[in-house]
Amino acid sequence: MGINIAEAAEGEDAPTYAGSLPVPNVQEMVRSNPMQVPERYIRNQEDMPKTTDSTHLSCEIPVIDLSLLSNGHKEELKRLELACEEWGFFQVVNHGVAEEVLQGMKYSASEFFELPLEEKNKYAVASDDIQGYGQAFVVSEEQKLDWSDILSLVIYPARVRKLKFWPNAPKEFKENIEVYSNEVKRVGEELLCSLSLIMGMDKDTLLGLHKEFVQALRVNYYPICSIPDQVLGISPHSDISILTILMQDDDVTGLQIKHSGEWVPVKPIPNALVVNIGDVIEIWSNGKYSSIEHRAVTNKNRARISFASFILPHDDVEIEPFDHLVDSQQPIKIYKKVRYGDYLRHSMKRNVEGKVHTEMEMVRCNLSFIPDRFKRSEEDKSKDVDLSVLSPQIPVIDLALLSSENVEELKKLEWACKCWGFFMATNHGIPEEVLQRVKDAAAGFFELPFQEKKAYSLDSNEMQGYGRPFMVSEEEKLDWSDSLILRIYPSHLQKLKFWPTTPADFRDTVEAYSTEVRKVAETLLGSLSLMMGMTKDALLRLHKDMAQALRVNYYPTCRNPDQVIGISPHSDASSISILLQDDGVTGLEIQHDGGWVPVNPVLNSLVVNIGDVIEMWSNGKYKSIEHRAITNENKARMSLATFFTPDTDVEIEPLDHILDPQGSNRIYKKVKYGDYLTHSLRKKIEGKTNLRFSKYND
């Protein structure tokens, strides 16, 4: 049967990868209390597996006859190509693996998982390895856990096997693993030959690119779960393999794949194998064949086992799109060259969640590439009116004069708030070195490798972290930017797991800058109170415990800046916002007199804008103006926006003394700020649509 496992080396030269943090054994939790589901396993509302009408699509998942494929049957090759292009998954029948081999493997694995925990723990995964029994890809104490236990083994090349992880019980398990894996290897090789042909190459091309055939096995055990609609067996992910070959449980459906925006269950066909395209094929094919996200759900009444065999290239193989697949349909390479070992290690260090690459990282690999989701419609472009000649008219306010209650400067501030909603603040008192340090710290973070930045990925529940906020649908146009969002005040709402530790002075620098900006905001609110006919501290008191958040925006260069937008037009759901711009690149534009006016940077100044809250308090007298960010063909740009907002319990409505005695001129109704903010965060960032939420007759 090929390699003699009794003679295989104990993996002295096997590579090591990032291991997994220790977590409880799921099967044992169920044995002790079948109704118990700890909080760490319960998904956030948006991630919970939902029952959809997509179940009718499962029969449409392609079925490929391997006996026809191996004989070069043209129609079957066409079916394979269609499956790879449109689904990324297919079922394989007539694969030649004997039924007794399949059933023997299932029986042995089932017997192993039924062993007492102390027996299974003899094969427990090591902290610095991925082989063995236990859990995988647990990289933080906060992440949600999968409702499954696993046994992971490297099968080929034989010299990197670690036989101490191969169970001795049941006694036939090792032999069954060997026999089954040899058969899967043959199926994998036949599929790779067919894939070579549909990619327009010689039959043995893909096999030759491997250098050395690598194969790993992951046996997944999914215990019963009392609340299957609230947990996941395995989180959504794509595979870092060339191909993955899965043997399912014949009686229980658990695998689901992402197709046309829905999760489609893959119903088992007895003795069939499920095959999916991995990330490597997607890269080699320049995106023509897709590595599809998939997940596993649980079952209330039946445990389930599956066997995933991963076909991988050698670590030293360099992966990049084939030149002949850069054609009229995809005229540029959308992936850069990467050594597979580096790609694999990067993936192992991260929690399995979603696809490893992002569209913006693809862009950075190829600066002339603009995915369709970033391109603005012709209708949006036609709305642009260039009023750049007006940019010198944007008001400039001297904060030193304002602080001393200079009457002329207060009048100038009122004019700015009524007519523009934006102004430049000079002589604000923040030392130049504080401004420069925070710019340098932010630039240092965004220059980090993608995998390091992803360690601080955005948490949708907290709206903190690195990534792209305010995405509410798969269809919406995307902004040409990445962001880092941090809550600054109150300090008990800070989540330090999202605060980068590189550069080393990042946290101290951001805190120093934020303290200074808060002083500026308090000064401005004092002046706004005076010009609104109140005592100097009135607006600050209305906020109760004034909250503060920072959003650092990074806008990469773009070869076609007229086709994209850095940040979509919007008004801010804040009281006031204070922006520190990049001194060397203009990007901010504001809506004024029917056109877009660029806000050219003034060295070491701050840009201040009135937010929705001030517009509501002033009953529309002072305007929260739409603004946007554009991109630049030659220079990347960065900005730091600080938002000041009331406590979420504060009720916002026009101030009584601003209304007429009967209140007949009231534009806005009373709204609790927390409700307004929640409403804003649930919607696509777009224009002044949020203010309609609090308007009468809207």
Side-chain angles (χ1 to χ4, degrees), residues 617-679:
W617 272 334
S618 71
N619 200 38
K621 182 178 182 180
Y622 307 126
K623 306 297 185 186
S624 176
I625 298 298
E626 280 189 68
H627 50 287
R628 68 182 187 181
I630 59 171
T631 60
N632 190 284
E633 185 173 2
N634 302 309
K635 289 191 71 173
R637 174 178 168 265
M638 223 170 37
S639 67
L640 295 92
T642 303
F643 305 97
F644 294 92
T645 57
D647 189 278
T648 53
D649 289 335
V650 172
E651 291 187 321
I652 311 296
E653 64 178 328
L655 300 172
D656 288 340
H657 72 279
I658 290 178
L659 300 174
D660 61 29
Q662 292 76 35
S664 59
N665 63 336
R666 177 190 286 264
I667 299 174
Y668 296 104
K669 61 188 176 183
K670 184 187 290 187
V671 60
K672 187 179 174 184
Y673 182 70
D675 296 337
Y676 184 78
L677 184 62
T678 301
H679 168 77

Side-chain angles (χ1 to χ4, degrees), residues 569-573 609-610 612 624-627 676 685-691:
H570 66 285
S571 65
D572 290 343
N609 65 281
I610 298 299
D612 295 348
S624 176
I625 298 298
E626 280 189 68
H627 50 287
Y676 184 78
I685 183 171
E686 186 175 32
K688 296 186 68 170
T689 53
N690 293 325
L691 271 172

Side-chain angles (χ1 to χ4, degrees), residues 396-403 423-436 439 513 515-524 578-581 583 602-608:
V396 177
I397 302 296
D398 188 318
L399 230 61
L401 293 176
L402 208 58
S403 301
F423 55 90
M424 291 272 194
T426 59
N427 294 328
H428 43 65
I430 303 180
E432 183 179 350
E433 59 267 25
V434 172
L435 302 178
Q436 193 57 53
K439 290 178 184 178
Y513 171 73
T515 299
E516 293 292 328
V517 170
R518 192 173 184 86
K519 294 176 188 175
V520 172
E522 290 172 350
T523 298
L524 286 167
I578 300 178
L579 183 78
L580 177 63
Q581 292 201 88
D583 289 331
V602 174
L603 185 65
N604 295 326
S605 69
L606 300 171
V607 178
V608 181

